[in-house]
Amino acid sequence: MKFTTRMLSLAGCLAVTATLAVAEDWPSEPIHIIVPYAAGGGTDTTIRMLVPKVSGILGETVVVENKPGGATIIATQAVQQAEPNGYTVGAAAAPFTLNTALGKETPYNPLTDFEHIIKLVDMPICVIVNPAHPAQNFDEFVEWAKAESDPVLYASPGVGSMPHLWAEALAANLGFKVEHVGYKGSAPALVDVLAGNILVLFDGYSPSCRQAKDNELRILVNGWHERTPQLPDTPTAIELGYDVPRGSANFGIYAPKGTPQDIQQKLNDAFQAALDDPEVQGRLAENGLLPAGGSGADYNAFLTETINRFTKVVNDAGITVN
């Protein structure tokens, strides 16, 4: 018995020593960031803006791997199953939390089965209307919506997307009814709003809000807590006195459970330094992205709050997904 106990103790010490050695030497080979969408999408583009700076800071190549499909579950599970050695991390978009809020079955728990490294950016959500819409500003929009006998028909880039759920939360808080029309992405939704087939669109700054400015659509309100450089003339709902949750899509970085704390901190430091770089900030701003940053604990708290908030929104609105 004593021999077995000693052997187990020795094995444990060796494992700890090996882990510390890995953390001390890290990184010594390329780091892979798994992106849950195809190349060219918002998440992919954002990560690629940061990768050159992160690579330079860490002194090692950073490779972006695109694993689209399965409502981001395929990519997330690939990170979950990777060795927790810091050489595979995941890029999280809104579905990282919203899949759980929507009640989708996933082979992982986004809060307990990963190490949360850093929240990267926010992309504020806007309310956009076709010029044929009677509302000239957000106050008029709310007054119009409350007076409508039928639910307000609105478009979003997809069922279960952040714009969809924020629209439901906003309508519930402000006291009017809505009916959702989900598209397969922002582009087809924007086309129908431009054509006047549907008059109201909830979506993120890029591409919809950016294109709205060039196509004579009206951006009525910004869902962020303060005005943004990209939309200096567009008020926020909070600024106008409306008690609504802050509306934004977001991206972050997470790692397999058990990734050593030292490596987590090195990753956090590298991405934070990239977010603080003026050149990177300029590129993010062009795409309507606001740097976030903070600690891994900050990101965990944000993810927890997001799941709790939107689980209630989903349940209250009776939203279901196939």
Side-chain angles (χ1 to χ4, degrees):
M1 178 64 72
K2 289 183 179 179
F3 177 77
T4 302
T5 301
R6 288 173 182 169
M7 290 297 291
L8 289 173
S9 177
L10 177 60
C13 289
L14 290 173
V16 170
T17 301
T19 299
L20 290 174
V22 168
E24 185 177 339
D25 295 340
W26 186 92
S28 59
E29 61 184 76
I31 300 158
H32 294 252
I33 302 179
I34 298 182
V35 173
Y37 296 106
T43 309
D44 178 78
T45 301
T46 301
I47 296 300
R48 292 179 190 274
M49 289 181 199
L50 297 168
V51 157
K53 290 294 180 182
V54 172
S55 178
I57 292 165
L58 294 176
E60 188 57 75
T61 302
V62 179
V63 179
V64 178
E65 290 187 18
N66 300 93
K67 289 185 179 292
T72 75
I73 294 172
I74 293 173
T76 309
Q77 189 172 21
V79 178
Q80 180 192 23
Q81 295 172 345
E83 289 293 325
N85 55 16
Y87 292 109
T88 300
V89 299
F96 188 65
T97 51
L98 295 189
N99 281 339
T100 299
L102 290 161
K104 288 186 178 181
E105 291 188 11
T106 60
Y108 51 79
N109 182 314
L111 297 180
T112 60
D113 290 344
F114 301 98
E115 308 294 353
H116 305 118
I117 304 301
I118 190 169
K119 182 183 178 187
L120 296 176
V121 296
D122 285 285
M123 180 190 290
I125 298 169
C126 304
V127 181
I128 303 167
V129 295
N130 182 280
H133 195 284
Q136 299 298 310
N137 55 56
F138 191 63
D139 287 330
E140 292 183 4
F141 177 84
V142 174
E143 183 179 352
W144 167 83
K146 289 182 177 180
E148 288 290 288
S149 56
D150 295 325
V152 173
L153 201 65
Y154 75 94
S156 90
V159 176
S161 65
M162 187 62 81
H164 172 202
L165 300 190
W166 186 68
E168 297 290 338
L170 182 142
N173 281 35
L174 300 186
F176 59 87
K177 296 181 179 180
V178 289
E179 182 176 342
H180 177 236
V181 180
Y183 289 76
K184 292 184 178 180
S186 297
L190 188 59
V191 166
D192 263 9
V193 175
L194 284 167
N197 297 325
I198 187 166
L199 299 183
V200 181
L201 170 64
F202 282 72
D203 201 6
Y205 176 83
S206 182
S208 293
C209 296
R210 174 194 287 177
Q211 292 188 30
K213 294 192 298 182
D214 299 329
N215 287 283
E216 299 182 354
L217 296 177
R218 286 197 293 276
I219 306 174
L220 300 183
V221 79
N222 179 350
W224 197 235
H225 64 281
E226 60 185 10
R227 295 198 187 199
T228 63
Q230 299 84 3
L231 299 170
D233 300 323
T234 301
T236 71
I238 295 172
E239 169 191 338
L240 295 174
Y242 295 101
D243 183 16
V244 297
R246 188 169 67 183
S248 74
N250 55 84
F251 307 134
I253 295 291
Y254 63 99
K257 189 72 173 179
T259 299
Q261 182 61 46
D262 285 357
I263 292 177
Q264 292 182 49
Q265 191 59 55
K266 288 180 181 179
L267 283 165
N268 179 279
D269 291 344
F271 277 99
Q272 184 66 65
L275 291 172
D276 292 339
D277 183 89
E279 180 184 350
V280 171
Q281 290 182 354
R283 295 188 65 194
L284 293 174
E286 291 174 0
N287 289 271
L289 299 168
L290 304 174
S295 67
D298 293 334
Y299 188 33
N300 177 275
F302 168 79
L303 295 172
T304 302
E305 191 274 336
T306 299
I307 288 175
N308 291 339
R309 176 198 301 171
F310 286 106
T311 296
K312 184 178 186 305
V313 170
V314 167
N315 291 338
D316 289 349
I319 297 170
T320 58
V321 292
N322 295 326

